[in-house]
mmCIF file of all heavy atoms in Angstrom:
data_model
loop_
_atom_site.group_PDB
_atom_site.id
_atom_site.type_symbol
_atom_site.label_atom_id
_atom_site.label_comp_id
_atom_site.label_asym_id
_atom_site.label_seq_id
_atom_site.Cartn_x
_atom_site.Cartn_y
_atom_site.Cartn_z
ATOM 1 N N TYR A 48 175.703 -69.426 -16.171
ATOM 2 C CA TYR A 48 175.109 -68.195 -15.561
ATOM 3 C C TYR A 48 174.854 -68.459 -14.141
ATOM 4 O O TYR A 48 175.196 -67.755 -13.191
ATOM 5 C CB TYR A 48 173.895 -67.802 -16.285
ATOM 6 C CG TYR A 48 174.091 -66.796 -17.402
ATOM 7 C CD1 TYR A 48 173.671 -67.104 -18.752
ATOM 8 C CD2 TYR A 48 174.627 -65.505 -17.196
ATOM 9 C CE1 TYR A 48 173.801 -66.210 -19.784
ATOM 10 C CE2 TYR A 48 174.853 -64.627 -18.199
ATOM 11 C CZ TYR A 48 174.381 -64.970 -19.482
ATOM 12 O OH TYR A 48 174.616 -64.019 -20.533
ATOM 13 N N HIS A 60 165.758 -65.152 -16.419
ATOM 14 C CA HIS A 60 164.648 -65.272 -17.168
ATOM 15 C C HIS A 60 165.081 -65.343 -18.663
ATOM 16 O O HIS A 60 165.523 -64.318 -19.159
ATOM 17 C CB HIS A 60 163.729 -63.978 -17.080
ATOM 18 C CG HIS A 60 163.050 -63.969 -15.681
ATOM 19 N ND1 HIS A 60 163.446 -63.080 -14.736
ATOM 20 C CD2 HIS A 60 162.023 -64.578 -15.148
ATOM 21 C CE1 HIS A 60 162.774 -63.268 -13.615
ATOM 22 N NE2 HIS A 60 161.833 -64.112 -13.817
ATOM 23 N N TYR A 61 165.076 -66.563 -19.209
ATOM 24 C CA TYR A 61 165.570 -66.695 -20.576
ATOM 25 C C TYR A 61 164.661 -65.887 -21.549
ATOM 26 O O TYR A 61 163.364 -65.999 -21.464
ATOM 27 C CB TYR A 61 165.519 -68.165 -20.947
ATOM 28 C CG TYR A 61 165.669 -68.453 -22.401
ATOM 29 C CD1 TYR A 61 166.791 -68.209 -23.088
ATOM 30 C CD2 TYR A 61 164.562 -68.953 -23.196
ATOM 31 C CE1 TYR A 61 166.894 -68.444 -24.458
ATOM 32 C CE2 TYR A 61 164.715 -69.099 -24.486
ATOM 33 C CZ TYR A 61 165.810 -68.906 -25.267
ATOM 34 O OH TYR A 61 165.898 -69.127 -26.546
ATOM 35 N N ALA A 62 165.260 -65.063 -22.455
ATOM 36 C CA ALA A 62 164.496 -64.284 -23.354
ATOM 37 C C ALA A 62 163.887 -65.107 -24.523
ATOM 38 O O ALA A 62 164.745 -65.532 -25.479
ATOM 39 C CB ALA A 62 165.375 -63.077 -23.827
ATOM 40 N N VAL A 63 162.662 -65.424 -24.428
ATOM 41 C CA VAL A 63 162.055 -66.405 -25.398
ATOM 42 C C VAL A 63 162.252 -66.000 -26.797
ATOM 43 O O VAL A 63 162.238 -66.761 -27.712
ATOM 44 C CB VAL A 63 160.526 -66.528 -25.032
ATOM 45 C CG1 VAL A 63 159.835 -67.408 -26.061
ATOM 46 C CG2 VAL A 63 160.500 -67.215 -23.617
ATOM 47 N N LYS A 64 162.294 -64.659 -27.078
ATOM 48 C CA LYS A 64 162.290 -64.097 -28.451
ATOM 49 C C LYS A 64 163.499 -64.635 -29.196
ATOM 50 O O LYS A 64 163.552 -64.769 -30.435
ATOM 51 C CB LYS A 64 162.180 -62.648 -28.578
ATOM 52 C CG LYS A 64 163.426 -61.864 -28.232
ATOM 53 C CD LYS A 64 163.072 -60.334 -28.466
ATOM 54 C CE LYS A 64 164.371 -59.493 -28.490
ATOM 55 N NZ LYS A 64 164.776 -59.085 -27.113
ATOM 56 N N ALA A 65 164.686 -64.982 -28.521
ATOM 57 C CA ALA A 65 165.833 -65.448 -29.119
ATOM 58 C C ALA A 65 165.591 -66.751 -29.933
ATOM 59 O O ALA A 65 166.182 -67.051 -31.041
ATOM 60 C CB ALA A 65 166.944 -65.626 -28.182
ATOM 61 N N ASP A 83 161.551 -64.427 -20.025
ATOM 62 C CA ASP A 83 161.198 -63.086 -20.415
ATOM 63 C C ASP A 83 160.457 -63.260 -21.737
ATOM 64 O O ASP A 83 160.925 -63.702 -22.722
ATOM 65 C CB ASP A 83 162.583 -62.234 -20.620
ATOM 66 C CG ASP A 83 162.320 -60.887 -21.117
ATOM 67 O OD1 ASP A 83 161.405 -60.172 -20.728
ATOM 68 O OD2 ASP A 83 163.033 -60.560 -22.179
ATOM 69 N N ILE A 84 159.156 -62.647 -21.589
ATOM 70 C CA ILE A 84 158.318 -62.799 -22.770
ATOM 71 C C ILE A 84 157.979 -61.417 -23.254
ATOM 72 O O ILE A 84 158.076 -60.379 -22.525
ATOM 73 C CB ILE A 84 157.028 -63.491 -22.446
ATOM 74 C CG1 ILE A 84 156.304 -62.806 -21.262
ATOM 75 C CG2 ILE A 84 157.263 -64.997 -22.090
ATOM 76 C CD1 ILE A 84 154.927 -63.324 -21.158
ATOM 77 N N VAL A 85 157.641 -61.232 -24.618
ATOM 78 C CA VAL A 85 157.370 -59.945 -25.103
ATOM 79 C C VAL A 85 156.025 -59.948 -25.895
ATOM 80 O O VAL A 85 155.756 -58.973 -26.643
ATOM 81 C CB VAL A 85 158.454 -59.494 -26.145
ATOM 82 C CG1 VAL A 85 159.696 -59.210 -25.304
ATOM 83 C CG2 VAL A 85 158.775 -60.490 -27.196
ATOM 84 N N SER A 106 158.121 -58.179 -20.937
ATOM 85 C CA SER A 106 158.620 -56.901 -21.422
ATOM 86 C C SER A 106 158.048 -56.489 -22.706
ATOM 87 O O SER A 106 157.212 -57.251 -23.324
ATOM 88 C CB SER A 106 160.192 -57.242 -21.759
ATOM 89 O OG SER A 106 160.840 -57.626 -20.654
ATOM 90 N N GLY A 107 158.353 -55.284 -23.215
ATOM 91 C CA GLY A 107 157.913 -54.866 -24.533
ATOM 92 C C GLY A 107 157.151 -53.558 -24.406
ATOM 93 O O GLY A 107 156.468 -53.244 -23.455
ATOM 94 N N ASN A 127 157.080 -55.430 -16.921
ATOM 95 C CA ASN A 127 158.042 -54.382 -17.106
ATOM 96 C C ASN A 127 157.460 -53.232 -17.958
ATOM 97 O O ASN A 127 157.305 -53.400 -19.201
ATOM 98 C CB ASN A 127 159.408 -54.788 -17.650
ATOM 99 C CG ASN A 127 160.134 -55.699 -16.781
ATOM 100 O OD1 ASN A 127 159.914 -55.686 -15.566
ATOM 101 N ND2 ASN A 127 161.145 -56.275 -17.181
ATOM 102 N N GLU A 129 156.872 -49.625 -19.813
ATOM 103 C CA GLU A 129 157.704 -48.763 -20.624
ATOM 104 C C GLU A 129 157.144 -47.360 -20.823
ATOM 105 O O GLU A 129 157.786 -46.551 -21.559
ATOM 106 C CB GLU A 129 157.961 -49.496 -21.960
ATOM 107 C CG GLU A 129 158.534 -50.868 -21.842
ATOM 108 C CD GLU A 129 159.609 -51.096 -22.875
ATOM 109 O OE1 GLU A 129 160.058 -50.289 -23.654
ATOM 110 O OE2 GLU A 129 160.000 -52.435 -22.941
ATOM 111 N N ARG A 153 160.752 -50.121 -16.970
ATOM 112 C CA ARG A 153 162.000 -50.330 -17.758
ATOM 113 C C ARG A 153 162.572 -48.904 -17.922
ATOM 114 O O ARG A 153 162.059 -48.027 -18.573
ATOM 115 C CB ARG A 153 161.726 -50.983 -19.101
ATOM 116 C CG ARG A 153 162.970 -50.987 -19.989
ATOM 117 C CD ARG A 153 162.786 -51.818 -21.173
ATOM 118 N NE ARG A 153 163.812 -51.695 -22.122
ATOM 119 C CZ ARG A 153 164.011 -52.372 -23.246
ATOM 120 N NH1 ARG A 153 162.999 -53.172 -23.655
ATOM 121 N NH2 ARG A 153 165.024 -52.200 -24.024
ATOM 122 N N THR A 168 169.427 -50.426 -27.552
ATOM 123 C CA THR A 168 168.154 -50.065 -27.163
ATOM 124 C C THR A 168 168.084 -49.022 -25.966
ATOM 125 O O THR A 168 167.102 -48.541 -25.534
ATOM 126 C CB THR A 168 167.225 -51.287 -26.580
ATOM 127 O OG1 THR A 168 168.106 -51.876 -25.635
ATOM 128 C CG2 THR A 168 167.087 -52.283 -27.808
ATOM 129 N N PHE A 175 162.475 -47.565 -26.618
ATOM 130 C CA PHE A 175 162.320 -48.423 -25.414
ATOM 131 C C PHE A 175 162.477 -47.587 -24.041
ATOM 132 O O PHE A 175 163.201 -46.653 -24.024
ATOM 133 C CB PHE A 175 163.305 -49.502 -25.396
ATOM 134 C CG PHE A 175 163.153 -50.382 -26.629
ATOM 135 C CD1 PHE A 175 164.022 -50.265 -27.759
ATOM 136 C CD2 PHE A 175 162.161 -51.371 -26.672
ATOM 137 C CE1 PHE A 175 163.899 -51.134 -28.771
ATOM 138 C CE2 PHE A 175 162.008 -52.188 -27.775
ATOM 139 C CZ PHE A 175 162.855 -52.048 -28.872
ATOM 140 N N CYS A 202 166.046 -52.852 -16.844
ATOM 141 C CA CYS A 202 166.569 -52.096 -18.046
ATOM 142 C C CYS A 202 167.133 -53.164 -19.032
ATOM 143 O O CYS A 202 167.235 -54.394 -18.631
ATOM 144 C CB CYS A 202 167.681 -51.184 -17.568
ATOM 145 S SG CYS A 202 169.027 -52.038 -16.766
ATOM 146 N N HIS A 203 167.442 -52.801 -20.138
ATOM 147 C CA HIS A 203 168.031 -53.579 -21.155
ATOM 148 C C HIS A 203 168.541 -52.652 -22.192
ATOM 149 O O HIS A 203 167.920 -51.976 -22.860
ATOM 150 C CB HIS A 203 167.031 -54.568 -21.769
ATOM 151 C CG HIS A 203 167.480 -55.258 -22.977
ATOM 152 N ND1 HIS A 203 168.237 -56.355 -22.845
ATOM 153 C CD2 HIS A 203 167.295 -55.169 -24.255
ATOM 154 C CE1 HIS A 203 168.578 -56.869 -24.006
ATOM 155 N NE2 HIS A 203 167.982 -56.168 -24.924
ATOM 156 N N GLY A 205 170.773 -53.300 -24.796
ATOM 157 C CA GLY A 205 171.081 -53.693 -26.153
ATOM 158 C C GLY A 205 171.442 -55.144 -26.341
ATOM 159 O O GLY A 205 171.392 -55.821 -25.274
ATOM 160 N N SER A 206 171.793 -55.563 -27.431
ATOM 161 C CA SER A 206 172.100 -56.964 -27.614
ATOM 162 C C SER A 206 173.556 -57.097 -28.195
ATOM 163 O O SER A 206 174.090 -56.100 -28.862
ATOM 164 C CB SER A 206 171.162 -57.536 -28.591
ATOM 165 O OG SER A 206 170.939 -59.017 -28.435
ATOM 166 N N GLN A 207 174.107 -58.245 -28.011
ATOM 167 C CA GLN A 207 175.523 -58.515 -28.615
ATOM 168 C C GLN A 207 176.432 -57.571 -27.996
ATOM 169 O O GLN A 207 177.294 -56.958 -28.665
ATOM 170 C CB GLN A 207 175.524 -58.582 -30.122
ATOM 171 C CG GLN A 207 176.784 -58.964 -30.749
ATOM 172 C CD GLN A 207 177.330 -60.347 -30.350
ATOM 173 O OE1 GLN A 207 176.699 -61.113 -29.725
ATOM 174 N NE2 GLN A 207 178.558 -60.577 -30.665
ATOM 175 N N LEU A 208 176.408 -57.329 -26.697
ATOM 176 C CA LEU A 208 177.386 -56.485 -25.921
ATOM 177 C C LEU A 208 178.608 -57.279 -25.717
ATOM 178 O O LEU A 208 178.576 -58.394 -25.310
ATOM 179 C CB LEU A 208 176.746 -56.158 -24.558
ATOM 180 C CG LEU A 208 175.374 -55.637 -24.520
ATOM 181 C CD1 LEU A 208 174.902 -55.317 -23.116
ATOM 182 C CD2 LEU A 208 175.196 -54.251 -25.379
ATOM 183 N N ASP A 239 166.596 -55.675 -12.327
ATOM 184 C CA ASP A 239 166.622 -56.550 -13.611
ATOM 185 C C ASP A 239 167.521 -55.826 -14.612
ATOM 186 O O ASP A 239 167.182 -54.734 -15.070
ATOM 187 C CB ASP A 239 165.228 -56.775 -14.121
ATOM 188 C CG ASP A 239 165.104 -57.588 -15.384
ATOM 189 O OD1 ASP A 239 166.189 -57.784 -15.985
ATOM 190 O OD2 ASP A 239 164.039 -58.000 -15.772
ATOM 191 N N GLY A 241 168.425 -57.000 -17.533
ATOM 192 C CA GLY A 241 168.126 -57.377 -18.968
ATOM 193 C C GLY A 241 169.027 -58.424 -19.461
ATOM 194 O O GLY A 241 169.664 -59.172 -18.729
ATOM 195 N N GLY A 242 169.018 -58.501 -20.721
ATOM 196 C CA GLY A 242 169.925 -59.484 -21.427
ATOM 197 C C GLY A 242 171.006 -58.688 -22.090
ATOM 198 O O GLY A 242 171.424 -57.740 -21.656
ATOM 199 N N GLY A 243 171.536 -59.363 -23.221
ATOM 200 C CA GLY A 243 172.335 -58.657 -24.112
ATOM 201 C C GLY A 243 173.708 -59.091 -24.179
ATOM 202 O O GLY A 243 174.422 -58.615 -24.952
ATOM 203 N N LEU A 244 174.216 -60.011 -23.241
ATOM 204 C CA LEU A 244 175.525 -60.413 -23.321
ATOM 205 C C LEU A 244 175.939 -61.044 -24.802
ATOM 206 O O LEU A 244 175.112 -61.793 -25.227
ATOM 207 C CB LEU A 244 175.930 -61.468 -22.284
ATOM 208 C CG LEU A 244 177.469 -61.782 -22.141
ATOM 209 C CD1 LEU A 244 178.274 -60.518 -21.763
ATOM 210 C CD2 LEU A 244 177.624 -62.762 -21.055
ATOM 211 N N GLY A 245 176.972 -60.603 -25.335
ATOM 212 C CA GLY A 245 177.364 -61.050 -26.706
ATOM 213 C C GLY A 245 177.937 -62.394 -26.645
ATOM 214 O O GLY A 245 178.316 -62.996 -25.710
ATOM 215 N N ILE A 274 168.352 -61.349 -14.498
ATOM 216 C CA ILE A 274 168.836 -61.219 -15.803
ATOM 217 C C ILE A 274 167.953 -61.864 -16.902
ATOM 218 O O ILE A 274 167.119 -62.785 -16.545
ATOM 219 C CB ILE A 274 170.310 -61.696 -15.972
ATOM 220 C CG1 ILE A 274 170.372 -63.169 -15.648
ATOM 221 C CG2 ILE A 274 171.237 -60.840 -15.154
ATOM 222 C CD1 ILE A 274 171.764 -63.789 -15.880
ATOM 223 N N GLU A 275 167.980 -61.407 -18.114
ATOM 224 C CA GLU A 275 167.142 -61.872 -19.245
ATOM 225 C C GLU A 275 167.958 -62.194 -20.460
ATOM 226 O O GLU A 275 167.732 -61.673 -21.529
ATOM 227 C CB GLU A 275 166.137 -60.792 -19.553
ATOM 228 C CG GLU A 275 165.311 -60.170 -18.475
ATOM 229 C CD GLU A 275 164.620 -58.849 -18.833
ATOM 230 O OE1 GLU A 275 164.835 -58.322 -19.951
ATOM 231 O OE2 GLU A 275 163.681 -58.498 -18.122
ATOM 232 N N PRO A 276 168.913 -63.193 -20.337
ATOM 233 C CA PRO A 276 169.744 -63.580 -21.440
ATOM 234 C C PRO A 276 169.032 -64.336 -22.505
ATOM 235 O O PRO A 276 168.210 -65.228 -22.160
ATOM 236 C CB PRO A 276 170.859 -64.313 -20.825
ATOM 237 C CG PRO A 276 170.253 -64.899 -19.614
ATOM 238 C CD PRO A 276 169.277 -63.978 -19.134
ATOM 239 N N GLY A 277 169.265 -64.039 -23.723
ATOM 240 C CA GLY A 277 168.691 -64.884 -24.780
ATOM 241 C C GLY A 277 169.747 -65.454 -25.627
ATOM 242 O O GLY A 277 170.091 -66.619 -25.637
ATOM 243 N N ARG A 278 170.375 -64.525 -26.472
ATOM 244 C CA ARG A 278 171.465 -64.949 -27.437
ATOM 245 C C ARG A 278 172.583 -65.824 -26.801
ATOM 246 O O ARG A 278 172.999 -66.829 -27.234
ATOM 247 C CB ARG A 278 172.048 -63.692 -27.957
ATOM 248 C CG ARG A 278 173.139 -63.961 -29.097
ATOM 249 C CD ARG A 278 173.929 -62.718 -29.390
ATOM 250 N NE ARG A 278 173.110 -61.610 -29.638
ATOM 251 C CZ ARG A 278 172.479 -61.285 -30.805
ATOM 252 N NH1 ARG A 278 172.800 -62.024 -31.970
ATOM 253 N NH2 ARG A 278 171.708 -60.226 -30.973
ATOM 254 N N SER A 279 173.017 -65.454 -25.504
ATOM 255 C CA SER A 279 174.185 -66.046 -24.878
ATOM 256 C C SER A 279 173.805 -67.434 -24.309
ATOM 257 O O SER A 279 174.690 -68.262 -24.064
ATOM 258 C CB SER A 279 174.778 -65.207 -23.829
ATOM 259 O OG SER A 279 173.757 -64.734 -22.878
ATOM 260 N N ILE A 280 172.497 -67.744 -24.321
ATOM 261 C CA ILE A 280 172.065 -69.010 -23.760
ATOM 262 C C ILE A 280 171.972 -69.974 -24.978
ATOM 263 O O ILE A 280 172.406 -71.180 -24.934
ATOM 264 C CB ILE A 280 170.656 -68.974 -23.190
ATOM 265 C CG1 ILE A 280 170.636 -68.129 -21.870
ATOM 266 C CG2 ILE A 280 170.120 -70.350 -22.870
ATOM 267 C CD1 ILE A 280 171.026 -68.862 -20.583
ATOM 268 N N ALA A 373 170.326 -68.427 -32.009
ATOM 269 C CA ALA A 373 169.581 -67.305 -31.518
ATOM 270 C C ALA A 373 169.136 -66.385 -32.713
ATOM 271 O O ALA A 373 170.120 -66.125 -33.546
ATOM 272 C CB ALA A 373 170.371 -66.490 -30.474
ATOM 273 N N TYR A 374 167.935 -66.030 -32.722
ATOM 274 C CA TYR A 374 167.515 -65.074 -33.743
ATOM 275 C C TYR A 374 167.722 -65.766 -35.180
ATOM 276 O O TYR A 374 167.937 -64.983 -36.160
ATOM 277 C CB TYR A 374 168.028 -63.665 -33.635
ATOM 278 C CG TYR A 374 167.920 -63.040 -32.282
ATOM 279 C CD1 TYR A 374 169.026 -63.084 -31.342
ATOM 280 C CD2 TYR A 374 166.717 -62.660 -31.833
ATOM 281 C CE1 TYR A 374 168.795 -62.574 -30.102
ATOM 282 C CE2 TYR A 374 166.513 -62.160 -30.566
ATOM 283 C CZ TYR A 374 167.608 -62.126 -29.728
ATOM 284 O OH TYR A 374 167.326 -61.620 -28.358
HETATM 285 C C1 PLP B 501 165.828 -58.983 -26.599
HETATM 286 C C2 PLP B 501 165.700 -58.718 -25.132
HETATM 287 C C3 PLP B 501 166.520 -59.551 -24.286
HETATM 288 C C4 PLP B 501 167.414 -60.589 -24.710
HETATM 289 O O1 PLP B 501 168.469 -60.097 -25.402
HETATM 290 P P1 PLP B 501 169.774 -60.957 -25.841
HETATM 291 O O2 PLP B 501 170.680 -60.005 -26.562
HETATM 292 O O3 PLP B 501 169.216 -62.102 -26.763
HETATM 293 O O4 PLP B 501 170.351 -61.555 -24.662
HETATM 294 C C5 PLP B 501 166.241 -59.360 -22.984
HETATM 295 N N1 PLP B 501 165.422 -58.459 -22.436
HETATM 296 C C6 PLP B 501 164.695 -57.629 -23.300
HETATM 297 C C7 PLP B 501 163.805 -56.627 -22.701
HETATM 298 C C8 PLP B 501 164.879 -57.751 -24.670
HETATM 299 O O5 PLP B 501 164.132 -56.993 -25.417
#
Side-chain angles (χ1 to χ4, degrees):
Y48 269 120
H60 294 104
Y61 165 70
V63 174
K64 76 173 193 276
D83 172 47
I84 57 169
V85 294
S106 301
N127 290 348
E129 301 217 12
R153 175 167 170 182
T168 56
F175 298 103
C202 65
H203 172 75
S206 204
Q207 185 55 13
L208 309 177
D239 180 346
L244 188 62
I274 56 171
E275 304 166 349
R278 186 191 312 272
S279 52
I280 298 269
Y374 306 105

